[in-house]
Every structure is written in C-alpha cells, then in structure tokens.
Amino acid sequence: LTGAGFLSSFFVSLAAAAVTKQNDFLEGKSVYKGSGHIVIIGWNERSKGIIHALCQQNTLISIALIDESLEKNPLSNKNVHFIKGRPNQDEVLLKAGITKASKVIITADQDKGELQADMHSIITLLAVKGLNSFVPCIVEILTHEQIENAKRAGADEIIETNVITSFIMLQSISSHDMVTSFLDLLNQMSDRKLVYQDVMTEEIEKDYTTIGIERLKNGMVLLGIKRGGATILNPPRPFSIEKNDQLILIRS
C-alpha cells in the first residue's frame, strides 16, 4: 500500500509539473533557450503576416514573439515561442534570447498615437542594442521626424509605413485600379525574394541593359542599382556598372 501510494504521488507530481510547464509556455512565462532565431516585437496584423510568411518559407525557423497585451501564445501551432512583457525591459528581452538572436523586428504599437508609438519603438531599439549591439534590427517608424532618432539609436533598416501607404493612395487617384494591381504584385512577391547582389568582376563597366539580359536568362529580374547610399531604379541609358555597385534583383 505504501509503495502504491508513493508511485501514485510520483505520477501525480509529474503530471502537475508537465501541465505547469505547458501553461507557462502558452502564457509567455518560459525562457527561450535556442539561438539563431528571429525576435519579433509587437502583435498586430503586420507581425502576424510576417510570422506566417516566415513559417511558410522555412518550416524549421524559430521565432520569439514579445508582446505585453496578449494573454497567451496566439500561434502555438507554429514554431513560435511567446514572451509576455514590456519589450524595453532587459529581463523580458533576455527571456527571448536577445543575445543569441539573428535578427530583430520591431513593429509600431497600434494602441498608441503615432509619435508615442515611435518613441516606444526607439526606446525598445535602445534596449535591444544595449544587450546585443551586433544584432540587425528592422524598425517600423510612423512619423518622418523620428527617422533620424531611429538611426541614432542603431536601426539597421527603417520601414516608413505611412510613406508607403500615402504613395499607394496617391497613385490610386491618378491611375484606376492601382491599389488592386499593387496588392496583386505584392501577393506574387510572397513566393519570390527581393535581393541585393554584389557586382561580379567581369560585370564591371558593362552596360546596365546587358547585365539585365544576362540575369534574366538565369531567372532573375534586374530592378535597379544600389550605389553608395543611393538607390537607382531603372536608370537612364546608357548606364555603366561600377565596382562597388549592388544589383537589386527579384529572384524566384
């Protein structure tokens, strides 16, 4: 009887521990212990779309999602580790394994005003860079005047959401069905990749059109050139390729 009682107690304790661990995972209380993952900050339609696209492209990818408003993991069926808490706090970022992350994406807080959301994103960026200064950070900024502050805080890439939206709406005024066509283009781009490629030695001083034809034969579409800090799309002809140029390509 004593042995049976101890055995029953052991299995009950084991089951309780398993349930507690599972609840901690769903509620965002457990620590992420992996490395080479992507940390996404903020839960909204943008981050939801990013996670679905990343998981579709690579089923083995690991993602740590940080959000303060969620009560439980919204994508427990995906390879997503949820961390509940304020993303500008060191203990929350360390829970998400920020020191071993390969990339960080900071989305704007949809529950705040534009300026407040930008300031929150910049403070979060400072916290991230303070713990891992080498991790590449992509930051969504809503107001143009905060772009420089985001750069000073260490943003590697800045997405100006409102600028993109304004451009689409402006084009739709002068061109019928512009928005529909643009969205169709974006949907088709989900199966392809926009990439930068360094110019090969044999391509230096060649004409832009010649390079475009050569890349098209390999299933890639040449959109433009990145030269220094400038991006040149569909440059005027004739246009020669220089040594430090980068090609902007759509790759299947």
Side-chain angles (χ1 to χ4, degrees), residues 35-54:
S35 61
H37 57 294
I38 297 176
V39 176
I40 297 178
I41 296 175
W43 176 249
N44 44 57
E45 285 301 316
R46 296 178 300 286
S47 56
K48 181 180 178 181
I50 291 170
I51 292 172
H52 279 294
L54 288 173

Side-chain angles (χ1 to χ4, degrees), residues 21-250:
K21 187 175 182 179
Q22 180 66 14
N23 287 338
D24 286 346
F25 174 79
L26 291 174
E27 295 171 5
K29 298 177 182 178
S30 60
V31 177
Y32 181 81
K33 297 180 180 178
S35 61
H37 57 294
I38 297 176
V39 176
I40 297 178
I41 296 175
W43 176 249
N44 44 57
E45 285 301 316
R46 296 178 300 286
S47 56
K48 181 180 178 181
I50 291 170
I51 292 172
H52 279 294
L54 288 173
C55 292
Q56 187 175 7
Q57 292 173 9
N58 183 2
T59 56
L60 300 177
I61 196 168
S62 295
I63 298 170
L65 171 67
I66 302 176
D67 188 82
E68 185 181 4
S69 62
L70 290 172
E71 295 300 327
K72 63 179 182 178
N73 191 336
L75 297 170
S76 56
N77 59 329
K78 303 284 186 181
N79 196 16
V80 177
H81 189 104
F82 170 53
I83 302 292
K84 182 177 176 60
R86 293 172 57 187
N88 53 21
Q89 292 183 336
D90 287 359
E91 59 182 20
V92 175
L93 292 171
L94 291 172
K95 265 188 176 182
I98 199 69
T99 57
K100 297 180 180 179
S102 62
K103 187 163 288 187
V104 176
I105 300 173
I106 302 174
T107 64
D109 191 335
Q110 58 188 1
D111 295 326
K112 292 181 170 61
E114 291 182 345
L115 182 58
Q116 288 181 321
D118 285 347
M119 297 306 295
H120 184 266
S121 297
I122 291 171
I123 292 172
T124 300
L125 175 62
L126 287 169
V128 169
K129 287 292 186 178
L131 294 172
N132 187 351
S133 59
F134 299 104
V135 65
C137 292
I138 302 171
V139 186
E140 180 186 13
I141 295 295
L142 303 178
T143 58
H144 185 72
E145 58 268 21
Q146 294 303 319
I147 296 295
E148 289 302 319
N149 286 334
K151 291 179 180 178
R152 293 188 189 103
D156 297 279
E157 293 184 50
I158 296 173
I159 308 297
E160 294 185 70
T161 308
N162 287 343
V163 171
I164 298 171
T165 304
S166 298
F167 170 77
I168 297 172
M169 295 179 71
L170 181 62
Q171 294 299 317
S172 68
I173 294 173
S174 57
S175 179
H176 184 62
D177 289 337
M178 173 64 185
V179 175
T180 303
S181 299
F182 188 78
L183 292 176
D184 288 342
L185 179 62
L186 289 179
N187 288 331
Q188 292 182 42
M189 282 289 293
S190 63
D191 297 327
R192 296 168 176 83
K193 290 185 178 180
L194 189 65
V195 297
Y196 287 115
Q197 279 191 4
D198 293 330
V199 172
M200 295 184 290
T201 305
E202 59 270 22
E203 293 177 331
I204 298 173
E205 297 185 356
K206 276 191 175 183
D207 185 68
Y208 175 87
T209 304
T210 303
I211 300 297
I213 295 172
E214 291 175 354
R215 293 306 175 100
L216 190 60
K217 291 178 181 178
N218 296 321
M220 294 182 286
V221 179
L222 180 61
L223 294 181
I225 298 290
K226 185 173 176 61
R227 178 171 291 175
T231 299
I232 308 170
L233 297 179
N234 193 25
R237 313 298 189 272
F239 188 88
S240 298
I241 303 298
E242 297 182 359
K243 181 179 179 181
N244 296 319
D245 287 347
Q246 287 184 307
L247 306 179
I248 305 173
L249 300 160
I250 296 179

